[in-house]
């Protein structure tokens, strides 16, 4: 006879400053699988949670950017390692959230992990692609160097619970930004799982922050927060994006709107949240 | 009437007659009061009140006249874009920078406070301490923040502590005297209550929690104990004494919790810069940020305001 055992039920928490708090509001909401069955209770983030996340991201940004590109690559690669060892759990959640079969979800997880490795490789190569030396009429070297925008708010795509999240979040992280991500509202658990893996991947606290909750309510808080330097509007319809971009404009944010792009190429994502710093240097005798 | 203290024995008897502090009760009370929610226009009013109560402080070895100039400028007009923001109560500097602060502040209502008496340790002879005070005063200080001799207090020489407060008060003349108890070094709430009474009996205009130079600075329970001492002193002896909380108060949320505590312990009479102060530096920026947030409805950048 098997022994009866109580379920160890899990509430999916936020990720703010390296910790996994419940929402400041104390609220949570129910997430169902694509077929409508109960899947999990997920913390319902509030605007104060977002504020805390932005504060954390701001605090972590200089440290993340000051670490070497090589080191950032290692940290992101480490995330891929962690995801690889928990791939079945990820695949199970992708299958439930997106309503796909096991084979498809395994393929999605593989693609996502490969994507992480790909971004890990980009950290110390992006400067060569986006930067360069410029010809100038004088005895100077003139360099253009890509530097991060700062704190990037990402409204993640609603449908693609893992692959879309990985793409939207790692692109700005890769070039030295810190990120506050609003995970997919109806399909947040793969993102939260990945967030848990960052704590065993040497991600400094605050570099990646994940808030779950009502996207339409929270996206406008993110867009109007003046201490956010960039806004990725992947997860909102192009109609909503207009309003949010206008909110972002009041504090001069860089806004990335994939709907407008002919192709959503990855280099475009990498390019979305960098500024170009130009340096003059005398040529020695 | 403030009782005249003629001997250490009399002072000791008076302090012994004070009731002990219910530590658990004090902590529970501040925990309860900390949950009070202050919103919208009340919050805006509280923020402006808190700004007007700030003693904008710089007490670093690396202080320069330039730094003091920028501090004073900020004290007079915390938000240069908005003239409705009140100026802070005072700037607080080391004695050697008082003259400079005075010259920058000119005729503005912002007072110059100076720490004196061998701040922060208080380990010097009385003569040296009094010299320190006189120097600050002759340079133009309006307020003196003295430290008590914690070593003497903890080894039971309370008469010496009292005599020093009396001597410094006498040296101060019209200048306001704030007595720093350095509660982080006094160990118990009972000690905080006794030290508060010694300072008030000695003639303090303000009692102040901390120097900001030790690990434990102002805490809400300690402020509660001091506010209760001030309340009891006003009821039994007469004079109203102010309270200054200093060290570690960095956020608007913290500041508003202190204001709630003041209101609930001694009443709204104390909600004035004449009777309640925050000794802080980074707090002012957070207050300004939160004020702007209330007005704009969006969270603002930290770099909207100058970093001191």
């Amino acid at each position: 006879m098997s022994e009866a055992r109580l379920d160890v039920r899990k509430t999916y928490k936020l990720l703010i400053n390296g910790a996994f708090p419940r929402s400041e509001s104390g609220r949570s909401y129910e997430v169902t699988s694509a077929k409508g069955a109960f899947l999990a209770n997920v913390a319902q983030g509030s605007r104060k949670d977002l504020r805390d996340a932005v504060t954390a991201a701001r605090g972590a940004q200089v440290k993340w950017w000051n670490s070497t590109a090589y080191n950032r690559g290692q940290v992101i690669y480490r995330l891929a390692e962690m995801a690889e060892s928990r791939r079945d759990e990820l695949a199970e959640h992708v299958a439930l959230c997106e309503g796909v079969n096991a084979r498809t979800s395994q393929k999605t997880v593989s693609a996502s992990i490969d994507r992480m490795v790909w971004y890990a490789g980009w950290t110390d190569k992006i400067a060569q692609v986006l930067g360069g030396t410029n010809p100038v009429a004088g005895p100077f070297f003139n360099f253009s160097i890509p530097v991060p925008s700062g704190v990037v708010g990402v409204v993640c795509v609603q449908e693609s619970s893992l692959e879309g999240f990985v793409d939207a979040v790692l692109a700005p992280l890769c070039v030295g930004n810190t990120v506050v991500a609003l995970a997919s509202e109806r399909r947040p658990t793969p993102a939260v799982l990945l967030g848990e893996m960052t704590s065993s991947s040497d991600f400094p606290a605050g570099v990646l922050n994940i808030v779950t909750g009502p996207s339409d309510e929270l996206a406008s808080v993110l867009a109007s927060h003046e201490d956010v330097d960039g806004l990725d509007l992947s997860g909102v319809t192009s109609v909503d994006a207009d309003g949010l971009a206008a909110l972002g404009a009041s504090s001069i944010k860089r806004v990335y709107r994939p709907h407008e792009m002919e192709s959503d190429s990855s280099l475009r994502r990498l390019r979305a949240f960098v500024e170009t710093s130009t340096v003059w240097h005398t040529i020695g005798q | 009437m403030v009782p005249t203290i003629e001997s250490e024995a009399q002072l000791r008897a008076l302090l012994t007659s004070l009731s002990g502090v219910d530590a658990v009760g004090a902590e529970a009370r501040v925990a309860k009061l900390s949950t009070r929610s202050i919103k919208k226009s009340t919050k805006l009013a509280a923020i402006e009140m808190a700004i007007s109560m700030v003693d904008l402080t710089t007490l670093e070895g690396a202080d320069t006249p330039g730094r003091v100039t920028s501090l004073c400028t900020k004290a007079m007009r915390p938000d240069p874009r908005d003239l409705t923001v009140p100026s802070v109560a005072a700037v607080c500097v080391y004695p050697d920078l008082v003259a400079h602060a005075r010259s920058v502040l000119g005729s503005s209502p912002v007072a110059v406070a100076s720490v004196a008496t061998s701040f922060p340790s208080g380990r010097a002879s009385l003569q040296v301490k009094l010299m320190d005070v006189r120097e600050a005063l002759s340079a133009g200080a309006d307020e003196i923040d003295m430290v008590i001799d914690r070593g003497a207090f903890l080894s039971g020489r309370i008469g010496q502590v009292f005599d020093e407060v009396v001597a410094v008060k006498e040296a101060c003349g019209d200048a306001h005297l704030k007595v720093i108890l350095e509660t982080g070094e006094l160990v118990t709430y009972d000690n905080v209550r006794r030290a508060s009474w010694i300072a008030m009996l000695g003639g303090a205009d303000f009692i102040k929690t901390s120097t900001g130079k030790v690990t434990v600075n102002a805490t809400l329970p300690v402020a509660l104990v001091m506010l209760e001492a001030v309340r009891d002193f006003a009821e039994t002896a007469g004079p109203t004494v102010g309270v200054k909380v200093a060290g570690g108060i960095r956020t608007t949320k913290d500041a508003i919790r202190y204001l709630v505590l003041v209101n609930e312990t001694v009443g709204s009479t104390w909600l004035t810069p004449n009777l309640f102060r925050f000794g802080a530096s980074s707090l002012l920026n957070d207050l300004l940020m939160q004020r702007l947030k209330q007005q704009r409805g969006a969270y603002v950048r930290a770099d909207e305001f100058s970093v001191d």
Side-chain angles (χ1 to χ4, degrees):
Chain A
M1 210 176 88
S2 66
E3 233 177 284
R5 185 165 177 270
L6 286 175
D7 292 342
V8 181
R9 289 188 186 139
K10 178 170 176 180
T11 302
Y12 288 75
K13 312 284 195 325
L14 312 175
L15 169 58
I16 296 174
N17 206 17
F20 298 94
R22 287 162 196 276
S23 168
E24 162 276 338
S25 67
R27 290 182 296 177
S28 61
Y29 68 106
E30 263 186 28
V31 170
T32 55
S33 71
K35 297 197 175 95
F38 173 79
L39 182 58
N41 283 312
V42 177
Q44 184 177 336
S46 68
R47 62 193 177 87
K48 288 194 177 170
D49 292 315
L50 265 189
R51 174 201 61 187
D52 293 346
V54 172
T55 309
R58 173 61 66 200
Q61 202 270 323
V62 172
K63 188 183 172 199
W64 180 239
W65 172 233
N66 283 348
S67 65
T68 62
Y70 172 68
N71 182 235
R72 282 198 299 280
Q74 283 184 313
V75 170
I76 295 175
Y77 186 83
R78 172 93 178 147
L79 181 63
E81 291 177 357
M82 292 296 112
E84 187 66 35
S85 61
R86 282 174 71 178
R87 59 174 300 136
D88 289 342
E89 191 185 3
L90 283 170
E92 187 196 342
H93 276 266
V94 169
L96 285 168
C97 287
E98 300 183 9
V100 294
N101 62 29
R103 210 178 110 89
T104 315
S105 68
Q106 284 287 353
K107 270 174 79 178
T108 305
V109 172
S110 294
S112 305
I113 296 174
D114 292 350
R115 204 82 183 137
M116 295 178 208
V117 175
W118 189 79
Y119 277 119
W122 266 115
T123 56
D124 58 357
K125 298 170 188 71
I126 192 74
Q128 292 92 309
V129 178
L130 300 186
T133 53
N134 311 312
V136 287
F140 300 101
F141 285 126
N142 182 277
F143 309 99
S144 287
I145 302 160
V147 296
S149 299
V151 174
V152 174
V154 178
V155 186
C156 296
V157 285
Q158 298 297 322
E159 304 76 30
S160 177
S161 60
L162 183 64
E163 212 173 345
F165 177 82
V166 166
D167 225 12
V169 161
L170 287 190
L173 283 178
C174 172
V175 294
N177 297 288
T178 50
V179 168
V180 176
L182 268 181
S184 166
E185 181 179 348
R186 303 312 324 168
R187 301 172 173 179
T189 53
V192 175
L193 287 177
L194 206 61
E196 290 171 1
M197 295 172 201
T198 61
S199 70
S200 49
S201 324
D202 284 344
F203 267 75
V207 167
L208 173 60
N209 305 277
I210 302 173
V211 176
T212 48
S215 292
D216 51 347
E217 182 190 319
L218 295 175
S220 64
V221 178
L222 205 51
S224 61
H225 197 309
E226 296 181 7
D227 208 15
V228 173
D229 304 294
L231 191 62
D232 180 335
L233 295 176
S234 301
V236 291
T237 63
S238 61
V239 182
D240 292 341
D242 288 342
L244 292 171
L247 276 179
S250 64
S251 50
I252 328 174
K253 287 184 191 16
R254 282 203 180 276
V255 177
Y256 177 75
R257 300 171 66 169
H259 331 285
E260 291 173 351
M261 312 290 175
E262 285 161 11
S263 71
D264 187 15
S265 89
S266 294
L267 205 56
R268 196 162 243 160
R269 280 194 178 274
L270 282 171
R271 205 195 290 270
F273 299 109
V274 292
E275 315 294 330
T276 300
S277 168
T278 299
V279 182
W280 294 76
H281 196 290
T282 49
I283 295 173
Q285 296 303 312
Chain B
M1 267 301 286
V2 183
T4 321
I5 305 293
E6 274 155 2
S7 68
E8 184 163 329
Q10 184 200 352
L11 180 62
R12 197 176 301 281
L14 197 154
L15 294 186
T16 315
S17 74
L18 297 174
S19 61
V21 178
D22 170 7
V24 175
E27 279 158 19
R29 177 149 175 80
V30 297
K32 179 91 175 109
L33 289 176
S34 295
T35 63
R36 193 162 293 179
S37 182
I38 306 288
K39 300 268 185 223
K40 309 277 175 190
S41 61
T42 320
K43 183 170 185 182
L44 198 58
I47 289 171
E48 292 189 357
M49 176 182 277
I51 292 174
S52 73
M53 290 171 168
V54 167
D55 277 7
L56 200 56
T57 305
T58 184
L59 296 170
E60 303 296 332
D63 285 347
T64 57
R67 187 172 153 77
V68 172
T69 304
S70 68
L71 198 77
C72 292
T73 316
K74 187 160 184 167
M76 291 186 279
R77 194 170 286 180
D79 185 349
R81 294 162 301 185
D82 186 348
L83 302 185
T84 61
V85 179
S87 57
V88 306
V91 293
C92 184
V93 294
Y94 273 118
D96 61 323
L97 288 163
V98 167
H100 183 72
R102 181 79 273 163
S103 72
V104 178
L105 289 171
S107 59
S108 87
V110 179
V112 180
S114 175
V115 293
T117 71
S118 297
F119 181 91
S121 68
R123 304 209 84 96
S125 69
L126 184 58
Q127 284 77 5
V128 172
K129 290 179 182 178
L130 291 176
M131 280 277 284
D132 208 10
V133 171
R134 290 196 190 102
E135 217 162 83
L137 288 170
S138 64
D142 307 296
E143 303 174 357
I144 295 292
D145 289 27
M146 75 168 283
V147 286
I148 64 165
D149 186 337
R150 282 87 72 192
F153 180 87
L154 291 170
S155 49
R157 286 175 277 129
I158 54 173
Q160 183 188 337
V161 178
F162 176 79
D163 290 342
E164 279 191 5
V165 176
V166 172
V168 172
K169 174 67 184 170
E170 199 181 306
C172 277
D174 291 337
H176 262 236
L177 175 64
K178 305 192 200 109
V179 179
I180 305 172
L181 309 180
E182 194 63 301
T183 52
E185 292 183 346
L186 295 185
V187 189
T188 67
Y189 295 134
D190 285 339
N191 279 348
V192 172
R193 177 169 283 179
R194 292 187 196 111
S196 301
W197 273 82
I198 295 175
M200 291 187 293
L201 290 166
D205 298 300
F206 261 86
I207 49 177
K208 172 174 166 185
T209 57
S210 327
T211 58
K213 300 288 182 197
V214 296
T215 345
V216 181
N217 291 302
T219 64
L220 283 161
V222 157
L224 174 69
V225 172
M226 289 169 63
L227 286 162
E228 283 175 349
V230 159
R231 179 194 62 198
D232 296 346
F233 188 72
E235 276 172 11
T236 58
T240 49
V241 175
V243 174
K244 174 171 169 183
V245 289
I249 304 159
R250 294 195 181 84
T251 65
T252 301
K253 196 181 258 179
D254 289 340
I256 291 179
R257 283 177 180 160
Y258 279 103
L259 293 182
V260 169
L261 190 63
V262 171
N263 192 52
E264 296 304 317
T265 312
V266 282
S268 57
T269 325
W270 262 261
L271 289 175
T272 140
N274 295 329
L275 288 172
F276 192 75
R277 297 274 182 89
F278 294 103
S281 43
S282 56
L283 171 66
L284 182 58
N285 270 9
D286 196 63
L287 288 167
L288 294 171
M289 265 172 68
Q290 297 307 322
R291 184 177 178 276
L292 214 52
K293 195 249 155 189
Q294 292 295 314
Q295 291 175 333
R296 287 189 190 165
Y299 293 112
V300 304
R301 297 179 76 97
D303 56 12
E304 287 258 348
F305 302 98
S306 64
V307 178
D308 314 308

